[in-house]
Amino acid sequence: MLPKTITITVDVEPDLHGGTYNGVNRGLKTFEIMCDEHKIKPVLFVTADCIKRFPSLFKRLNKKGWEISSHGFSHKRFDEMPISEKRKEIEKSIYLFKNYLNIKPKGFRAPQHSIDDKTLNFLEEYGFEYDSSYTPLNLFQLFFFPKKILLWAKCFFSPINPYRIRKNLVERPTAAFIFPFVSLLVRVLPKRAIYYYIRVLSLFYKNPIFYCHSWDFIKMKESRIDRIFSH
């Protein structure tokens, strides 16, 4: 049995391997064509530096019914910031959303899922409705960030469906079963395997959340993944 709904989310940020913005400027246009074709209204978690560079793009997508939420001000890990910097990152992000888009972001996803208790407290303080940084059942994340084993363990054994993580803040975890439900999985597995993977997810998740990145929609010569697995 397949889930009735799947939420499609994109982390919009400077490109991997170089810090350019081709994924935002070009990649999101490719993604938009796909969404229009399949009548998808995705959620974008956008770093505020991208909002500042491309305000007209995000204004237009927001008017189409796409949710534009926060991925921080810059693409820094929140669990490695001092408390004062965490607050400034969130404050600057909210300011740019309001100043350039005239909206207040409802959701938040920490870069590289680097959420911690202090950041969650700030999200609640600044009126965010939900966070989507936790990654339960994601064994593969430990491979990418082996030094973050304590954060990984906390996320791995966390609840898999939306729950109230603070009095006024909901956690909406991304989906995983050993491997995360992300763009890399879609590239690597054959279509039939993806179908069965999603069926397995439906045993645990009521509404699986898929995520990818803005740079997934462009070719990057510096990326080994791009060289091995096609788009």
Side-chain angles (χ1 to χ4, degrees):
M1 182 178 178
L2 292 173
K4 292 182 179 179
T5 58
I6 293 174
T7 299
I8 307 295
T9 69
V10 183
D11 292 357
V12 181
E13 61 200 38
D15 301 332
L16 191 66
H17 307 299
T20 53
Y21 292 84
N22 294 322
V24 184
N25 195 29
R26 300 202 320 261
L28 285 184
K29 292 178 182 177
T30 301
F31 177 61
E32 184 180 3
I33 292 170
M34 294 188 230
C35 289
D36 289 347
E37 181 181 353
H38 297 284
K39 297 181 173 58
I40 294 169
K41 303 292 184 184
V43 179
L44 305 184
F45 292 98
V46 188
T47 56
D49 58 345
C50 294
I51 297 288
K52 187 175 181 180
R53 285 174 177 266
F54 305 99
S56 59
L57 168 63
F58 296 106
K59 279 183 181 178
R60 184 175 60 77
L61 295 177
N62 185 238
K63 286 181 179 178
K64 292 182 72 167
W66 294 26
E67 180 187 324
I68 313 297
S69 277
S70 177
H71 199 35
F73 174 77
S74 58
H75 201 256
K76 295 180 180 178
R77 291 188 63 95
F78 272 78
D79 61 340
E80 295 177 352
M81 295 180 193
I83 293 176
S84 60
E85 189 176 355
K86 296 181 204 288
R87 182 184 288 276
K88 287 179 181 178
E89 280 272 321
I90 293 171
E91 286 180 344
K92 288 189 293 184
S93 173
I94 293 172
Y95 172 79
L96 289 177
F97 267 75
K98 185 176 181 180
N99 193 47
Y100 285 93
L101 304 184
N102 197 30
I103 63 173
K104 183 178 180 180
K106 296 191 299 182
F108 178 85
R109 178 174 291 156
Q112 299 177 349
H113 305 278
S114 57
I115 197 67
D116 60 9
D117 287 338
K118 293 294 184 182
T119 304
L120 289 168
N121 292 342
F122 285 139
L123 295 180
E124 182 181 38
E125 178 183 337
Y126 285 99
F128 283 83
E129 295 180 15
Y130 73 91
D131 173 67
S132 186
S133 303
Y134 273 68
T135 57
L137 304 183
N138 182 0
L139 186 62
F140 203 58
Q141 188 174 2
L142 188 60
F143 173 78
F144 280 101
F145 305 106
K147 294 182 180 180
K148 302 292 182 179
I149 189 169
L150 294 179
L151 177 61
W152 167 82
K154 185 176 181 180
C155 289
F156 187 88
F157 294 106
S158 62
I160 61 177
N161 287 302
Y163 61 98
R164 199 162 290 280
I165 198 167
R166 294 290 185 274
K167 182 179 180 180
N168 297 306
L169 185 71
V170 170
E171 179 63 36
R172 295 181 181 174
T174 57
F177 182 71
I178 309 302
F179 299 101
F181 190 27
V182 296
S183 52
L184 179 60
L185 191 81
V186 175
R187 288 192 190 194
V188 172
L189 295 182
K191 287 184 179 180
R192 197 64 184 169
I194 295 169
Y195 171 80
Y196 285 113
Y197 174 83
I198 294 174
R199 289 194 66 173
V200 172
L201 287 182
S202 70
L203 299 175
F204 302 95
Y205 297 89
K206 296 176 182 177
N207 171 23
I209 295 178
F210 170 86
Y211 73 93
C212 57
H213 303 85
S214 47
W215 40 261
D216 276 310
F217 301 99
I218 60 171
K219 292 184 178 181
M220 295 184 291
K221 295 178 181 179
E222 303 87 350
S223 171
R224 262 196 321 180
I225 292 173
D226 264 15
R227 293 197 296 270
I228 299 170
F229 302 107
S230 73
H231 283 224

